[in-house]
């Protein structure tokens, strides 16, 4: 069988076995396309069922999460934890609370996480979890009761050396607090290494809050430098206004860029003179309001429900909200409006068609598994601090993050070159992330 036929046969098997999970299919298809290039050169990576094992999670947990709302009514949600691959270290990956969550979405995120975590160079495997619970409109006590019920089941399956969850969409510092509290109560001891994203007084790390957004901008700056450009003076579009978006905006502006727009699920905001980051943090982070509140309290910003944030003219686009938020038409609009660089703060925000449009138009594109790896990298630094009962300064931790992001850029860039695809960072990051995990899996035998 040719390599093409082999890979198609794995993929067809995967489609049959994982029916109705389009996001998972999309994530696997993208990686398999890059792996064909590896298998041509190093066919031994197809030995011992390696590719089939890589695409099959080691363990998938689905559980009931019953909780009582403020009216005394029992609500039932579904909880997930997919422990995808632990060849490099304990499963590591966030928890997402959003009504769209289902098994396929958690599997796509867990699969991506394997390669992302491998790229950080730190000893962490890949996993992901979450629930279809919608935190929007819930009281603080409802959120607490939900988190306690979720952790009552999850605690049986996680641990410092086993599986270390963190935050993601809908899971920030508040939720990690409630989850950790319940874990501590059930375990009967304070095991700080079991979750990351913790508060600073109880085992958290400085820079973890900022890490994904800052890291995305550090990597984008490296990519821009490699192509003779710089953040300083650039116009940047950032979608979303959650954790990743806010700190991407903050770092981009610190480096001299003007962020000309951001969004949330209610619409998008045009900010031709830049973003008032403190106001945005106050509106979204503290008061948990919609972006319209930002527009009402700022000068020069306008709110739009119609059209798309991707219609703005800019040099750089950083999609930082959610999967498949940037499609082929959006990508064509970006190209027509002069965007030269795209880096994914979110996981898989660009559709396959959008990525193709970037390629056709010479737009330099850094995929999420590289561009947003700063969050999980800093989580691994939090684990290091917990293990050594230490806490590092902001400057030191930020320097470590910066170095990791620069190294990820060099690794994906050099790997793309090595495989004859210079400048193709999708191929570079997929292959580099794959090889390290695959070497560990081959060394550890068929398990
Ligand atoms: P948050 O919950 O803090 O923010 C998510 C943002 O995206 C909000 O502005 C939200 O708007 C918007 N959003 C979410 N879903 C949709 C949707 N279906 N349509 C339009 N807008 C939407 O999440 P994070 O910032 O933590 O995560 C953002 C992305 O980054 C995700 O893809 C996540 O997987 C990825 N990521 C996060 C990491 C982290 O450290 N937090 C690490 C690596 C990747 P609204 O407020 O209206 O819901």
């Amino acid at each position: 069988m040719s390599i093409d036929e082999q890979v198609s046969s794995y993929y067809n098997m995967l489609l049959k076995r994982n029916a109705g999970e389009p996001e998972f299919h999309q994530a696997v298809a993208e990686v398999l396309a890059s792996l064909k290039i590896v298998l041509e050169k190093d066919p031994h990576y197809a030995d011992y069922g390696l590719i089939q094992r890589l695409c099959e999670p080691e363990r998938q947990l689905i559980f009931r999460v019953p909780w009582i709302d403020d009216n005394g009514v029992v609500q039932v949600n579904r909880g997930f934890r997919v422990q995808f691959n632990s060849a490099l270290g304990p499963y590591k990956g966030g928890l997402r609370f959003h009504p769209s969550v289902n098994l396929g979405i958690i599997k796509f995120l867990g699969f991506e996480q394997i390669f992302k975590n491998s790229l950080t160079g730190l000893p962490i495997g890949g996993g992901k979890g979450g629930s279809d619970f919608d935190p929007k409109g819930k009281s603080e006590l409802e959120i607490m009761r939900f988190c306690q019920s979720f952790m009552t089941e999850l605690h049986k399956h996680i641990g410092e050396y086993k599986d270390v969850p963190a935050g993601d969409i809908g899971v920030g510092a508040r939720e990690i607090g409630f989850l950790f509290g319940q874990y501590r109560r059930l375990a009967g001891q304070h095991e700080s290494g079991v979750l990351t994203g913790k508060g600073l007084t109880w085992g958290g790390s400085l820079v973890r809050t900022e890490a994904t957004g800052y890291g995305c901008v550090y990597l984008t700056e490296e990519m821009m430098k490699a192509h003779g450009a710089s953040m300083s003076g650039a116009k940047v579009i950032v979608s979303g206004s959650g954790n990743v978006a806010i700190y991407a905006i903050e770092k981009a502006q610190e480096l001299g860029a003007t962020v000309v727009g951001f969004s949330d699920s209610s619409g998008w905001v045009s900010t031709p003179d830049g973003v008032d980051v403190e106001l945005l943090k106050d509106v979204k982070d503290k008061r948990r309001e919609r972006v319209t509140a930002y527009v009402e309290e700022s000068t020069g910003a306008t709110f739009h429900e119609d059209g798309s944030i991707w219609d703005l003219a800019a040099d750089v686009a950083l999609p930082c909200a959610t999967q498949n938020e940037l499609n082929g038409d959006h990508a064509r609009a970006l190209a027509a409006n002069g965007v030269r660089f795209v880096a994914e703060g979110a996981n898989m925000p660009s559709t396959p068609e959008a990525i193709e449009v970037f390629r056709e138009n010479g737009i330099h594109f850094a995929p999420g598994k590289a561009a947003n790896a700063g969050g999980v990298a800093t989580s691994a630094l939090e684990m290091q601090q917990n293990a050594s009962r230490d806490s590092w300064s902001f400057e030191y931790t930020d320097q470590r993050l910066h170095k990791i992001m620069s190294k990820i850029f060099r690794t994906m860039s050099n790997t793309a070159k090595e495989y004859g695809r210079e400048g193709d960072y999708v191929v570079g990051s997929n292959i580099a992330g794959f090889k390290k995990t695959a070497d560990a899996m081959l060394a550890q035998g068929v398990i």
Side-chain angles (χ1 to χ4, degrees):
M1 249 200 290
S2 71
I3 301 282
D4 259 354
E5 285 165 348
Q6 266 184 58
V7 171
S8 297
S9 115
Y10 302 146
Y11 187 62
N12 288 334
M13 221 149 63
L14 181 127
L15 291 180
K16 259 195 209 151
R17 188 180 262 174
N18 302 277
E21 298 178 355
E23 292 85 0
F24 180 50
H25 304 160
Q26 184 182 334
V28 172
E30 189 215 272
V31 169
L32 288 183
S34 302
L35 295 195
K36 281 186 198 168
I37 305 168
V38 184
L39 294 178
E40 297 281 356
K41 202 170 168 186
D42 300 313
H44 80 282
Y45 281 121
D47 291 349
Y48 298 109
L50 182 89
I51 309 288
Q52 296 96 312
R53 286 191 288 137
L54 187 74
C55 297
E56 181 70 17
E58 289 175 16
R59 194 170 299 105
Q60 308 181 51
L61 306 158
I62 303 182
F63 49 95
R64 181 173 68 205
V65 190
W67 57 281
I68 298 172
D69 69 18
D70 287 347
N71 298 319
V73 176
V74 172
Q75 302 288 339
V76 178
N77 284 99
R78 186 170 282 184
F80 302 90
R81 186 72 184 165
V82 172
Q83 300 178 327
F84 224 117
N85 193 303
S86 59
L88 295 179
Y91 310 105
K92 182 89 197 82
L95 298 171
R96 175 177 292 191
F97 293 168
H98 193 271
S100 64
V101 163
N102 57 40
L103 182 61
I105 287 185
I106 298 298
K107 276 163 73 178
F108 115 66
L109 290 163
F111 185 72
E112 288 277 298
Q113 199 81 42
I114 304 170
F115 306 95
K116 180 188 310 190
N117 294 4
S118 164
L119 274 174
T120 66
L122 298 163
I124 39 180
K128 197 82 187 188
S131 173
D132 57 2
F133 172 73
D134 185 359
K136 275 208 193 87
K138 303 290 188 298
S139 72
E140 185 129 311
L141 282 175
E142 288 177 323
I143 303 263
M144 188 195 297
R145 287 194 291 270
F146 173 80
C147 287
Q148 289 173 342
S149 179
F150 184 85
M151 185 52 86
T152 300
E153 177 59 31
L154 188 71
H155 94 284
K156 300 171 195 162
H157 311 286
I158 61 176
E160 182 181 348
Y161 298 105
K162 195 174 183 182
D163 184 354
V164 185
D168 190 76
I169 291 179
V171 179
R174 173 180 64 174
E175 292 73 21
I176 292 291
F178 296 149
L179 291 164
F180 184 77
Q182 182 71 354
Y183 182 90
R184 182 168 65 77
R185 177 189 197 188
L186 292 165
Q189 52 188 11
H190 188 116
E191 289 174 40
S192 51
V194 75
L195 284 176
T196 58
K198 299 182 292 294
L200 293 176
T201 55
W202 39 280
S205 171
L206 284 163
V207 191
R208 178 59 189 90
T209 306
E210 295 83 356
T212 310
Y214 278 21
C216 177
V217 173
Y218 290 149
L219 186 128
T220 308
E221 175 81 336
E222 291 292 331
M223 175 166 71
M224 292 175 82
K225 269 200 262 166
H227 298 280
S230 157
M231 269 290 168
S232 176
K235 285 187 175 173
V236 181
I237 308 168
V238 179
S239 66
S241 50
N243 171 266
V244 179
I246 286 175
Y247 291 98
I249 294 171
E250 181 168 279
K251 184 51 74 179
Q253 296 199 151
E254 250 177 60
L255 295 180
T258 304
V259 174
V260 295
F262 63 85
S263 61
D264 70 9
S265 54
S266 68
W268 59 280
V269 177
S270 163
T271 53
D273 304 324
V275 176
D276 177 343
V277 179
E278 289 316 309
L279 175 61
L280 184 60
K281 283 182 190 170
D282 187 53
V283 167
K284 293 298 292 185
D285 229 12
K286 293 206 185 86
R287 286 150 49 189
R288 299 175 190 277
E289 290 183 30
R290 317 303 295 151
V291 290
T292 41
Y294 174 95
V295 174
E296 281 158 20
E297 294 169 40
S298 70
T299 45
T302 49
F303 175 72
H304 306 264
E305 257 177 310
D306 300 325
S308 152
I309 192 171
W310 310 120
D311 290 333
L312 287 168
D315 306 292
V316 180
L318 305 177
C320 294
T322 195
Q323 66 271 2
N324 293 327
E325 56 165 311
L326 199 168
N327 62 28
D329 288 339
H330 298 141
R332 279 181 276 276
L334 290 176
N337 287 332
V339 166
R340 287 188 57 214
F341 300 93
V342 177
E344 296 184 324
N347 284 309
M348 211 169 75
S350 316
T351 63
E353 190 193 350
I355 297 172
E356 209 35 59
V357 174
F358 298 150
R359 279 203 181 105
E360 286 162 10
N361 287 276
I363 292 177
H364 307 290
F365 171 67
K369 53 173 80 68
N372 68 41
V376 73
T378 309
S379 276
L381 301 182
E382 181 174 332
M383 291 161 73
Q384 286 184 23
Q385 293 169 75
N386 294 152
S388 59
R389 303 269 188 271
D390 199 0
S391 58
W392 306 340
S393 69
F394 191 96
E395 291 68 28
Y396 176 72
T397 317
D398 190 35
Q399 262 172 28
R400 296 267 318 245
L401 167 66
H402 203 150
K403 278 191 187 155
I404 291 169
M405 298 314 293
S406 303
K407 194 162 171 218
I408 291 176
F409 178 74
R410 285 197 304 278
T411 304
M412 70 180 185
S413 179
N414 293 340
T415 308
K417 208 185 279 181
E418 186 190 333
Y419 281 84
R421 299 286 288 266
E422 187 163 356
D424 189 334
Y425 304 127
V426 172
V427 164
S429 58
N430 283 339
I431 296 181
F434 164 76
K435 281 178 75 174
K436 197 169 151 214
T437 306
D439 289 339
M441 288 174 73
L442 288 173
Q444 293 169 22
V446 178
I447 53 165

